[in-house]
């Protein structure tokens, strides 16, 4: 079988950083909830030598061995963390060392995953960076949903009962995000908060004149009916999930981030109703991944290969 024909369950990228460890812990818990195996992957980047040998440069063979040793040690620590953070058995957690450009190698690997989990920043990331190159590459190009985990949010009992949030705008990507959100809420035994922003403008952006016939309360009722219709099928499929619907006349990003302060997970589409063919990540998804302090799942699909 090719890799794409043999799903590996949840895959987590490992690089030895603290953020990576938090991501592994979260991935282990999610794999346990899904009843699928967890694969921990470390990518060894190729060595790029200078045209002219530099003085006192470590021999390539020695450096290659050092890279392998670092990968082995990082994976060993990650596996230990995964087993400690979940009820997965030793047989359910495997490790793999791959060689090649980090982002493209992980993107190729994502074709065989149910979910790919990475830390928001890895080794060597600039402290002020919002999103590392690896996590950014995956949320833009992966062939499966991607969970980005922030180092500020290790799994704890305190957040176990917090809800899952999903942003719904009526797009195809939003529909897939809704499916993922219901599934995650059901497995975790928590409520789901479904938020729909009927406009991409805030209230202050509307002109004060020529809008007299428009009553927000009338639009709100209509949009609530639309949201209820979009959720109806999923509520029938997941009757155990209690859904809280919120319709707002505002930009979606600030409202989602506000709700995220009391949630354990937020799910967004890879691009929304304003997206265009070929778009890799919409403005809302990008803002949420960069700004939320809780885990974020970007609902990328296998058909979204780029």
């Amino acid at each position: 079988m090719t890799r794409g024909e043999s799903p590996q369950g949840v895959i987590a990228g490992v690089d030895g950083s603290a953020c990576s460890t938090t991501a592994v812990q979260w991935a282990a818990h999610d794999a346990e909830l899904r009843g699928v195996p967890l694969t921990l992957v470390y990518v060894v980047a190729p060595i790029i030598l200078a045209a002219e040998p530099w003085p006192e440069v470590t021999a390539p063979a020695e450096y290659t061995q050092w890279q392998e040793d670092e990968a082995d040690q990082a994976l060993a620590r990650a596996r230990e963390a995964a087993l400690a953070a979940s009820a997965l058995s030793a047989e359910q957690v495997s490790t793999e060392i791959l060689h090649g450009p980090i982002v493209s190698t992980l993107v190729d690997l994502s074709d065989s995953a149910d979910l790919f989990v990475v830390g928001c920043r890895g080794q060597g990331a600039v402290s002020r960076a919002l999103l590392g190159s690896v996590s950014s590459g995956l949320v833009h190009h992966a062939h499966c949903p991607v969970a980005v985990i922030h180092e500020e949010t290790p799994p704890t009992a305190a957040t176990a009962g917090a809800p899952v949030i999903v942003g719904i705008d009526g797009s195809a990507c939003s529909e897939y995000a809704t499916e993922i959100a219901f599934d995650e809420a059901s497995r975790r035994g928590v409520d789901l908060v479904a938020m729909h922003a009927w406009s991409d403008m805030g209230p202050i952006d509307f002109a004060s004149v020529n809008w007299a016939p428009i009553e927000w309360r009338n639009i709100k009722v209509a949009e609530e009916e639309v949201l209820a219709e979009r959720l109806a099928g999923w509520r029938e499929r997941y009757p155990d999930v209690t859904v809280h619907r919120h319709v707002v006349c505002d930009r979606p990003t600030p409202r989602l981030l506000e709700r995220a302060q009391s949630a354990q997970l937020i799910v967004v589409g890879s691009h929304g109703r304003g997206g265009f063919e070929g778009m890799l990540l919409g403005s809302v998804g990008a803002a949420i991944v960069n700004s939320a302090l809780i885990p974020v799942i970007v609902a990328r699909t296998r058909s979204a290969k780029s």
Side-chain angles (χ1 to χ4, degrees), residues 90-110:
E91 292 73 23
Q92 291 176 296
V93 181
S94 60
T95 61
E96 186 173 2
I97 298 176
L98 299 176
H99 297 80
I102 297 176
V103 173
S104 60
T105 298
L106 292 179
V107 167
D108 289 342
L109 184 63
S110 70

Side-chain angles (χ1 to χ4, degrees), residues 150 252-257 260 266-268 282-297:
H150 293 261
T253 299
R255 291 304 186 95
L256 286 169
L257 291 173
I266 184 167
V267 186
V268 294
S283 59
V284 173
I288 296 299
V289 169
N290 275 303
S291 303
L293 297 181
I294 63 173
V296 178
I297 293 181

Side-chain angles (χ1 to χ4, degrees), residues 104-121:
S104 60
T105 298
L106 292 179
V107 167
D108 289 342
L109 184 63
S110 70
D111 196 33
S112 66
D114 296 325
L115 176 70
F116 210 112
V117 184
V118 289
C120 62
R121 293 183 296 273

Side-chain angles (χ1 to χ4, degrees), residues 67-83:
Q67 285 183 304
E68 295 291 331
D69 292 342
E70 284 289 302
D72 284 334
Q73 293 171 20
L75 285 173
R77 292 192 298 269
R79 189 170 187 274
E80 183 178 345
L83 293 173

Side-chain angles (χ1 to χ4, degrees), residues 56-262:
E56 300 181 6
V57 171
T58 303
E62 295 177 8
Y63 184 72
T64 299
Q65 185 58 54
W66 177 83
Q67 285 183 304
E68 295 291 331
D69 292 342
E70 284 289 302
D72 284 334
Q73 293 171 20
L75 285 173
R77 292 192 298 269
R79 189 170 187 274
E80 183 178 345
L83 293 173
S86 69
L88 293 175
S89 67
E91 292 73 23
Q92 291 176 296
V93 181
S94 60
T95 61
E96 186 173 2
I97 298 176
L98 299 176
H99 297 80
I102 297 176
V103 173
S104 60
T105 298
L106 292 179
V107 167
D108 289 342
L109 184 63
S110 70
D111 196 33
S112 66
D114 296 325
L115 176 70
F116 210 112
V117 184
V118 289
C120 62
R121 293 183 296 273
Q123 290 282 28
V126 178
S127 60
R128 67 177 180 273
L130 297 178
L131 201 63
S133 59
V134 174
S135 50
S136 179
L138 281 168
V139 297
H140 282 84
H141 299 286
H143 308 315
C144 71
V146 177
V148 178
I149 314 302
H150 293 261
E151 56 199 346
E152 296 90 344
T153 57
T156 64
T159 60
V164 172
I165 303 177
V166 61
I168 298 176
D169 64 12
S171 65
C173 286
S174 169
E175 184 73 3
Y176 187 37
T178 304
E179 177 184 356
I180 293 172
F182 265 96
D183 187 65
E184 289 284 349
S186 177
R187 294 181 190 279
R188 295 164 187 269
V190 299
D191 294 355
L192 175 65
V193 176
M195 179 166 288
H196 169 60
W198 73 268
S199 173
D200 291 323
M201 297 189 296
I204 63 173
D205 292 317
F206 289 108
S208 58
V209 296
N210 299 326
W211 284 86
I214 295 181
E215 291 284 350
W216 160 234
R217 61 178 177 270
N218 295 332
I219 296 177
K220 187 172 187 291
V221 170
E223 292 296 326
E224 284 177 342
E225 292 177 354
V226 170
L227 179 59
E229 291 174 359
R230 290 170 180 162
L231 294 171
W234 296 113
R235 297 189 72 169
E236 292 176 4
R237 184 172 174 180
Y238 295 93
D240 59 316
V241 176
T242 299
V243 180
H244 304 276
R245 302 194 305 267
H246 292 277
V247 175
V248 296
C249 172
D250 200 355
R251 298 180 180 89
T253 299
R255 291 304 186 95
L256 286 169
L257 291 173
E258 180 182 358
R259 290 283 175 179
Q261 296 176 15
S262 58

